[in-house]
């Protein structure tokens, strides 16, 4: 995988954000990452499914948001209001769960 462009985040948030960024790009090969002005957030776009998620930060959280929600066979408790997952500084990213949710976000675009 190519090296990620750095985001302008505190170290404890950067580790969570980078883990999510790598997981998104690994799960959706060919997805385009667009770093937004201010370098504290990014959006992800797929040629077939369009915009499927965004990564946004506050002073102490990283939020993975799904603009069209997620389509899952059974609900995932970490998905809040069907639209986002929130992580605190230094949080562990549950890879298998996030991958399922990312696939559900792609399916919501169909």
């Amino acid at each position: 995988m190519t090296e990620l462009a750095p985001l302008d985040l505190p170290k404890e948030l950067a580790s969570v954000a980078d883990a999510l960024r790598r997981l998104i790009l690994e799960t959706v090969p060919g997805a385009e990452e667009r770093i937004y002005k201010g370098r504290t957030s990014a959006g992800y776009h797929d040629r077939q499914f369009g915009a499927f998620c965004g990564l946004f930060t506050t002073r102490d959280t990283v939020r993975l948001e799904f603009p069209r929600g997620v389509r899952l066979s059974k609900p995932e408790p970490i998905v809040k209001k069907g639209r986002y997952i929130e992580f605190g500084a230094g949080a562990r990213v549950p890879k298998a769960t996030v991958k399922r949710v990312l696939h559900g976000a792609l399916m919501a675009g169909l």
Side-chain angles (χ1 to χ4, degrees):
M1 177 179 290
T2 61
E3 190 63 30
L4 297 173
L7 293 178
D8 187 16
L9 300 174
K11 184 178 179 179
E12 56 276 358
L13 282 182
S15 63
V16 176
D18 286 347
L20 287 167
R21 294 169 70 199
R22 289 180 196 289
L23 188 56
I24 292 164
L25 296 172
E26 172 188 311
T27 303
V28 187
E32 179 185 342
E33 179 182 63
R34 298 174 181 169
I35 305 293
Y36 298 133
K37 187 176 181 175
R39 306 197 60 78
T40 60
S41 59
Y44 297 87
H45 184 271
D46 177 80
R47 284 186 178 188
Q48 181 180 358
F49 299 100
F52 63 95
C53 73
L55 191 77
F56 301 93
T57 61
T58 65
R59 187 174 348 136
D60 56 359
T61 61
V62 177
R63 186 182 272 200
L64 183 58
E65 296 186 8
F66 310 101
R68 294 183 295 238
V70 295
R71 186 184 301 173
L72 299 168
S73 58
K74 64 178 190 170
E76 282 291 351
I78 68 168
V79 179
K80 307 297 182 202
K81 300 180 182 179
R83 294 242 176 234
Y84 67 93
I85 304 171
E86 200 164 69
F87 298 92
R92 186 187 68 76
V93 174
K95 290 182 180 182
T97 301
V98 173
K99 281 184 174 191
R100 275 194 304 278
V101 174
L102 286 167
H103 286 291
L106 292 172
M107 293 300 103
L110 295 178

